[in-house]
Amino acid sequence: MIDIETAQQLGLKLKSLHKLLQKQYPRPLSVEDIAKIKNWSVADTAVIIELAVAADIITEKTLTEIGEDELVYTI
């Protein structure tokens, strides 16, 4: 169980992530791109992204069309 303050911080980061991806749409971003832009650690960014994907806030895609298997994220 997480405390209220942590839940509020997660909510703010989820909103911030969604806003960033709206601004960048249709260009998808990788975990590293998002971490760099938001000035978050890669580990924190990965957790926020997993929560956002699980909640259907953002979409996970693979860039197979350009020969890469890197996961990217978009709205």
Side-chain angles (χ1 to χ4, degrees):
M1 186 98 161
I2 60 174
D3 59 41
I4 291 173
E5 183 178 333
T6 303
Q8 288 173 333
Q9 290 173 358
L10 284 172
L12 290 174
K13 286 192 174 191
L14 286 169
K15 283 183 184 179
S16 179
L17 172 61
H18 189 261
K19 214 178 223 186
L20 170 65
L21 291 175
Q22 280 181 322
K23 183 178 174 184
Q24 295 294 322
Y25 186 81
R27 180 179 170 256
L29 298 173
S30 69
V31 173
E32 291 79 13
D33 292 337
I34 295 167
K36 186 183 289 183
I37 292 167
K38 299 306 294 175
N39 199 28
W40 297 341
S41 73
V42 173
D44 285 352
T45 303
V47 170
I48 298 299
I49 286 171
E50 288 302 318
L51 289 170
V53 169
D56 289 329
I57 295 170
I58 65 172
T59 304
E60 181 177 81
K61 296 183 178 185
T62 305
L63 288 178
T64 53
E65 63 272 9
I66 61 170
E68 295 183 25
D69 291 329
E70 180 181 14
L71 292 173
V72 294
Y73 303 90
T74 188
I75 55 170

